[in-house]
Amino acid sequence: DQQVKQNSPSLSVQEGRISILNCDYTNSMFDYFLWYKKYPAEGPTFLISISSIKDKNEDGRFTVFLNKSAKHLSLHIVPSQPGDSAVYFCAAKEGGSEKLVFGKGTKLTVNP
Amino acid sequence: DAGVIQSPRHEVTEMGQEVTLRCKPISGHDYLFWYRQTMMRGLELLIYFNNNVPIDDSGMPEDRFSAKMPNASFSTLKIQPSEPRDSAVYFCASSLSFRNRNTIYFGEGSWLTVV
C-alpha cells in the first residue's frame, strides 16, 4: 500500500519552461516532505524540503508547495534546464521517526 | 567529506549463492538505512539502524535477508540464498538526526543481478 504516490512516471518539457512534478500522500501523520533527484548510476541527492507548518519553500529555481488539506505537494522548476533531466522522488516522514517513505519517482526530461 | 561508500558497485551472481553488500556511512552520522530500488516498487526501505542498533526491519522481505552493523563505520546486507527476484539496486544511506532536519545522504548503490 503506497503511502506516497507519484502518479506520473514521466514528464517532458521544453528548456526554459516550467516543470511541475506532483506527489500525493495518504498518511496524515507525515509532517516533513522532501524531494530527491537521481541521475542514472548515481544515488538520490537531496533537493528541497518543506515542513508541514509551511505551504511553500523556495530555493533558487526550485519551489515546493504543500497543500495539507488535499494531501498533495508539488515541485516547480523554473526555468527548466537540460541538466534538470533526472528522476525525481518525493519522500515523507512522520514526526518522531527517522524513516523516509518514497514515491516511485517521476522521470523528467528537459528538451533543449 | 567522503560520502556514503558502498561496495561492490556491481555484482552478478547465480541463484542460490550468498551475496554480501557493504556500506561505510558518513563519519559521525548516527543513522544508517538500507533501501532497495526496483521498477515495480520504487525505493523501499528495508531496515534502518540508530547508533548501530536495528530500529525497524519491517521492510526486510524475508528470512533470506539479514543486515548487521557491528560498528559505527560499517554495515552489511546479506542475502542467502539469493534468487532472481532479488535483482535490484541496493542503496545505503546515512543521516545525522539533529542537523538539516533529517536529510539523508545516499551512496551510489550496489547493482545486483541474480541469474
Side-chain angles (χ1 to χ4, degrees), chain A residues 50-75:
Chain A
I50 187 167
S51 165
S52 60
I53 62 172
K54 296 185 175 181
D55 54 20
K56 177 182 174 181
N57 188 28
E58 193 171 348
D59 183 3
R61 297 185 296 112
F62 302 91
T63 303
V64 57
F65 295 91
L66 176 62
N67 182 335
K68 288 189 293 294
S69 60
K71 294 191 175 68
H72 176 84
L73 64 156
S74 61
L75 173 68

Side-chain angles (χ1 to χ4, degrees), chain B residues 72-85:
Chain B
S73 59
F74 184 66
S75 177
T76 60
L77 177 68
K78 190 173 292 188
I79 308 171
Q80 166 63 22
S82 58
E83 297 182 2
R85 61 190 166 125

Side-chain angles (χ1 to χ4, degrees), chain B residues 50-68:
Chain B
N50 177 221
N51 291 322
N52 314 337
V53 176
I55 302 300
D56 184 345
D57 66 354
S58 59
M60 295 286 261
E62 48 197 272
D63 290 346
R64 298 185 297 106
F65 285 68
S66 62
K68 294 182 179 179

Side-chain angles (χ1 to χ4, degrees), chain B residues 2-14:
Chain B
V4 176
I5 300 171
Q6 292 187 245
S7 64
R9 287 297 314 275
H10 296 90
E11 172 107 5
V12 180
T13 190
E14 291 186 347

Side-chain angles (χ1 to χ4, degrees), chain A residues 4-99:
Chain A
V4 177
K5 299 177 184 180
Q6 294 178 256
N7 292 319
S8 298
S10 63
L11 174 68
S12 184
V13 299
Q14 285 299 120
E15 181 178 5
R17 307 295 283 268
I18 185 172
S19 296
I20 300 176
L21 296 98
N22 293 303
C23 177
D24 298 294
Y25 61 95
T26 57
N27 187 344
S28 57
M29 300 300 291
F30 287 148
D31 72 341
Y32 197 67
F33 304 88
L34 306 90
W35 286 92
Y36 277 76
K37 176 178 177 180
K38 184 183 179 306
Y39 291 117
E42 295 183 9
T45 55
F46 169 74
L47 185 59
I48 193 169
S49 62
I50 187 167
S51 165
S52 60
I53 62 172
K54 296 185 175 181
D55 54 20
K56 177 182 174 181
N57 188 28
E58 193 171 348
D59 183 3
R61 297 185 296 112
F62 302 91
T63 303
V64 57
F65 295 91
L66 176 62
N67 182 335
K68 288 189 293 294
S69 60
K71 294 191 175 68
H72 176 84
L73 64 156
S74 61
L75 173 68
H76 293 211
I77 306 174
V78 181
S80 302
Q81 299 173 353
D84 296 329
S85 297
V87 176
Y88 289 78
F89 289 96
C90 173
K93 64 172 286 295
E94 292 184 26
S97 171
E98 296 291 324
K99 184 175 170 178

